[in-house]
Amino acid sequence: MKKRILLLLTGLLTVAAYAQDPAAKSFLLAEGRECRSLGGQWNYIVDPMDTGIYKYQMTLLKPSRRYFADRHYYVEESRQIEYDFDKAPTLTVPGDWNTQSERLYYYEGSVWYRRTIKIPCQAGNDGKGAGNDGKRWFLYFGAVNYKCIVGLNNTILGEHKGGFTPFWFEVTDVLREGENSLVVWVNNTRGVSEVPTVNFDWWNYGGLTRDVQLISVPKVFIKDYRIRFDGSSAEISVSLDGGDVPVTVEIPELKIKVQIPGTSPGMTGINLTKKKNKPELWSPSNPKLYDIIITAGEDRIADKVGFRTVRTEGEKILLNGKPVFLKGVALHDETIGANPGRCRSKEDVKALLEAAKDLGCNFLRLAHYPHSEQMVRLAEEMGFMLWEEIPCYWNIDWTSEETYANAENQLLEMIGRDANRSAVIIWSVANETPRNPERLAFLGKLIARARAEDPTRLVSAAMEKKFRDPHHAVVEDELIALTDLISFNQYEGWYDGTPADCDSLVWTIPTGKPVVISEFGGGARYGMHGDENKRFSEEYLALLYRKNLEMLMRLPGIAGLSPWCLKDFRSPKRPLNGIQDEFNRKGVIDEQGHRKQAFYVLKEFYCDN
């Protein structure tokens, strides 16, 4: 299958009339400017044999025969056409396909999406393309899981790999007045050299899982900006595309208006120590954000930014120069409700964040992949510090250059999207990976790349403990020398021992850096009761939480907790009928939002500390 998909991508792009590599470009800002959402109902065709690309002998179809051509049998009934998007069923975008159609619940493979885009006619236009209106046009995808090829009007724009980060294509010369056909081939087949690889503990939701947008900008436009704050001054850099024009940056509430030279990237520094322009610092208790307006020629970006610093000092995490304890919880990008799937809307995200806020959290671990931009921005507004992560999960192909390039691209796309979000304090490069020289070299390169791209945040990874004997836990990982935190997962009382063993377990942990417990916890089904020794009962999980919290707070250097996890989530690795039913039951609330006893144990602890 891996060779077949590679042939598909290589073959299509070799003959493409128009192809771009989105990973080779700097980040494209979508938020903060006028965008047209292409969300809604898209026609789809399930294609497990990739009939829309290959002949029966696995040679490529002619461009006019591929599904990108969007032909119609009911219009050309005399032709050999065996598909018609106009007669195909629909899926809602954004959204996964698994929870929208019973026949697609377990499906992993290829699905074709199609929708039409109508572009109004412009007076005086010569009809050759929408680009003749004096603007440039881009298609922006929030995320597509996992591989995709995008075609517009039977022209291949390019391809993307990675299921949780944004990408884009310029379509100025392809988009035309009137009706346009946008066709996207999506494939979520797992692969041994992919990121994540074939084995992971969450549902492999396929599809156009985040919004698709059509963006129009002037010929010269603001492609990206970065703002970095060191506690006394802010450095602002602006990247332009299409030429050089003067740039103005305004933060009205702080009475700041500065000019930046019209080169790309242009950069300036702003002194923020004067009384009139000294900002309130962003923090969980005061998540202050300021309007920022950037103009360059005819282009204008409006955004909100916060000012804060984060660093470590010995075994402390300092936010704005003061020690902070991370009262956290980990969560997946999955809805609360009767039929949970990928979050589709701001309302879906808000329900998760409100549950975490009521739990008493000031910190969230967004596991095990980049969550949506909606999640990050709303969390920032609500005052959550964030850990963001790429899916180098368990054991991937550490020796593959292609796998590394994929992981690094996902890291850069995550940082590029969220570099200006004050809520993000930690970039994480991995979760529970095996110790070996190849893994150390792989993750070491990612850590160095993250620091080079963004030196203003902490970098870490979720590591693991091991046992010297049943009563002595040890944290020793070569990766600790490269990270800012000693962050590790441990499951005393669930995968190891019993809750009572927490009372006597001896720990050996390196000193000199803050310790953050990136996971602990166990499973329980909401409403299942029994004595404290009955696994999967609410009473067992409540006891496990009490004992773990007492044990972990005795650890030297403890600076934060991120128990696993906020909500029960779908996983095919959890088949126990009547209890798990294909859900990982480690949430403190269940998939419908019901609160288990452990929720209140954790909430009381956070309120008292």
Side-chain angles (χ1 to χ4, degrees):
M1 176 59 75
K2 176 184 175 183
K3 291 182 178 179
R4 178 181 171 193
I5 296 298
L6 182 61
L7 171 65
L8 187 158
L9 296 173
T10 304
L12 271 178
L13 294 179
T14 298
V15 300
Y18 187 93
Q20 295 189 40
D21 176 11
K25 302 190 290 293
S26 63
F27 194 76
L28 175 68
L29 289 169
E31 288 285 341
R33 61 169 78 252
E34 291 186 11
C35 302
R36 174 181 169 185
S37 173
L38 300 181
Q41 297 303 302
W42 292 50
N43 298 97
Y44 76 97
I45 295 172
V46 182
D47 189 13
M49 300 295 178
D50 287 319
T51 304
I53 293 175
Y54 289 118
K55 299 178 184 178
Y56 69 101
Q57 293 177 330
M58 292 306 295
T59 56
L60 285 167
L61 292 167
K62 295 179 181 179
S64 62
R65 302 297 299 275
R66 300 173 194 154
Y67 288 2
F68 291 107
D70 194 8
R71 304 276 294 277
H72 305 285
Y73 165 78
Y74 292 96
V75 175
E76 305 176 79
E77 294 182 353
S78 64
R79 304 270 185 183
Q80 181 60 39
I81 300 173
E82 297 186 70
Y83 74 97
D84 195 324
F85 282 110
D86 284 350
K87 298 297 182 178
T90 62
L91 290 169
T92 300
V93 174
D96 62 86
W97 66 55
N98 310 80
T99 57
Q100 295 190 61
S101 170
E102 186 176 354
R103 68 175 181 151
L104 296 177
Y105 183 63
Y106 292 105
Y107 181 69
E108 293 182 324
S110 297
V111 172
W112 295 83
Y113 285 76
R114 195 287 314 259
R115 73 151 289 164
T116 58
I117 307 170
K118 291 186 177 179
I119 301 298
C121 295
Q122 302 289 327
N125 204 338
D126 61 13
K128 293 181 180 180
N132 288 278
D133 63 0
K135 298 179 180 179
R136 295 170 66 181
W137 295 79
F138 290 83
L139 277 171
Y140 182 96
F141 293 80
V144 178
N145 193 39
Y146 170 75
K147 308 178 187 77
C148 72
I149 304 173
V150 180
L152 182 65
N153 298 328
N154 202 23
T155 296
I156 304 300
L157 303 177
E159 50 100 0
H160 184 263
K161 181 187 289 188
F164 305 98
T165 49
F167 59 97
W168 55 91
F169 303 100
E170 185 168 3
V171 295
T172 305
D173 297 331
V174 183
L175 194 69
R176 61 194 181 208
E177 292 182 344
E179 189 166 279
N180 295 261
S181 170
L182 174 59
V183 178
V184 185
W185 170 88
V186 183
N187 184 286
N188 72 330
T189 304
R190 289 164 294 130
V192 294
S193 294
E194 303 301 337
V195 183
T197 185
V198 294
N199 191 21
F200 47 88
D201 189 13
W202 66 85
W203 206 266
N204 187 24
Y205 292 113
L208 305 179
T209 57
R210 295 176 189 157
D211 203 8
V212 183
Q213 296 174 307
L214 182 63
I215 303 172
S216 63
V217 296
K219 292 290 186 180
V220 179
F221 70 96
I222 303 159
K223 195 165 200 178
D224 192 11
Y225 83 96
R226 299 284 176 94
I227 183 165
R228 293 176 177 175
F229 177 64
D230 66 7
S232 60
S233 64
E235 179 184 89
I236 301 177
S237 61
V238 178
S239 296
L240 303 179
D241 193 293
D244 296 333
V245 295
V247 176
T248 301
V249 177
E250 298 179 75
I251 307 177
E253 191 174 347
L254 296 178
K255 298 179 174 57
I256 290 171
K257 184 175 183 179
V258 295
Q259 303 292 323
I260 296 179
T263 57
S264 187
M267 186 177 299
T268 191
I270 303 173
N271 186 333
L272 296 178
T273 60
K274 297 179 181 179
K275 184 176 180 179
K276 68 175 183 178
N277 58 21
K278 187 175 183 179
E280 295 180 40
L281 299 184
W282 183 97
S283 69
S285 61
N286 181 40
K288 175 65 177 179
L289 298 174
Y290 291 90
D291 291 327
I292 183 170
I293 302 164
I294 305 174
T295 55
E298 299 178 8
D299 198 22
R300 181 181 185 273
I301 288 283
D303 202 356
K304 289 183 178 293
V305 296
F307 297 92
R308 62 100 188 94
T309 62
V310 62
R311 61 185 177 90
T312 63
E313 184 178 274
E315 296 178 345
K316 298 178 180 179
I317 298 172
L318 302 182
L319 182 72
N320 301 324
K322 298 178 181 179
V324 63
F325 188 84
L326 306 182
K327 302 178 184 180
V329 72
L331 68 155
H332 271 286
D333 180 16
E334 190 179 275
T335 59
I336 297 173
N339 184 32
R342 278 279 170 260
C343 290
R344 301 181 187 179
S345 66
K346 186 175 181 179
E347 290 69 31
D348 291 339
V349 168
K350 188 175 181 180
L352 290 167
L353 296 181
E354 286 180 339
K357 181 64 73 173
D358 196 37
L359 189 59
C361 295
N362 63 12
F363 171 68
L364 300 174
R365 180 183 175 204
L366 304 184
H368 287 293
Y369 42 77
H371 289 213
S372 70
E373 188 167 5
Q374 284 182 322
M375 175 75 79
V376 175
R377 285 179 173 269
L378 187 55
E380 181 176 55
E381 292 174 14
M382 293 176 65
F384 291 103
M385 296 174 284
L386 299 178
W387 161 311
E388 288 204 72
E389 187 167 293
I390 58 172
C392 292
Y393 183 89
W394 290 352
N395 196 12
I396 64 175
D397 189 347
W398 308 111
T399 62
S400 167
E401 292 183 6
E402 180 183 353
T403 301
Y404 176 80
N406 183 353
E408 183 181 270
N409 184 60
Q410 293 188 47
L411 177 70
L412 295 180
E413 288 178 339
M414 176 179 71
I415 293 174
R417 189 192 71 182
D418 295 334
N420 297 319
R421 304 279 64 82
S422 53
V424 181
I425 64 168
I426 300 167
W427 302 123
S428 171
V429 298
N431 176 77
E432 291 183 349
T433 51
R435 292 170 60 195
N436 59 58
E438 294 78 16
R439 167 265 202 175
L440 183 62
F442 187 108
L443 296 184
K445 286 174 62 179
L446 285 179
I447 290 170
R449 192 69 181 89
R451 292 194 194 285
E453 187 71 11
D454 178 17
T456 69
R457 290 177 171 88
L458 310 180
V459 182
S460 198
M463 294 169 266
E464 295 183 281
K465 77 171 189 311
K466 67 177 186 178
F467 287 99
R468 286 187 181 164
D469 62 55
H471 307 289
H472 187 182
V474 179
V475 179
E476 50 184 14
D477 192 318
E478 297 79 6
L479 208 58
I480 292 173
L482 305 178
T483 58
D484 294 302
L485 307 173
I486 302 173
S487 46
F488 61 92
N489 303 346
Q490 69 84 30
Y491 282 93
E492 190 67 18
W494 189 249
Y495 295 122
D496 304 311
T498 68
D501 293 328
C502 293
D503 293 338
S504 57
L505 188 64
V506 176
W507 286 85
T508 299
I509 302 174
T511 59
K513 292 184 178 182
V515 172
V516 175
I517 310 303
S518 39
E519 291 181 26
F520 74 90
R525 184 181 181 96
Y526 171 76
M528 180 174 169
H529 296 286
D531 65 39
E532 292 179 337
N533 295 315
K534 182 180 180 180
R535 293 264 179 162
F536 288 107
S537 71
E538 287 197 48
E539 287 76 10
Y540 186 99
L541 185 59
L543 175 64
L544 183 151
Y545 263 78
R546 286 194 294 270
K547 291 295 186 180
N548 267 268
L549 290 168
E550 292 170 1
M551 174 186 69
L552 295 173
M553 291 306 292
R554 294 194 296 265
L555 297 182
I558 188 71
L561 304 171
S562 161
W564 189 262
C565 58
L566 178 65
K567 183 190 78 72
D568 293 353
F569 59 93
R570 293 192 193 274
S571 172
K573 295 177 71 66
R574 311 293 172 167
L576 181 59
N577 290 335
I579 295 178
Q580 291 174 314
D581 297 323
E582 296 185 327
F583 280 89
N584 186 312
R585 293 292 180 193
K586 294 188 181 70
V588 293
I589 64 176
D590 76 355
E591 69 275 15
Q592 297 184 50
H594 300 121
R595 297 175 178 185
K596 306 174 190 178
Q597 291 180 18
F599 179 97
Y600 298 101
V601 173
L602 185 59
K603 178 175 181 176
E604 182 180 6
F605 172 81
Y606 281 159
C607 289
D608 291 343
N609 289 273

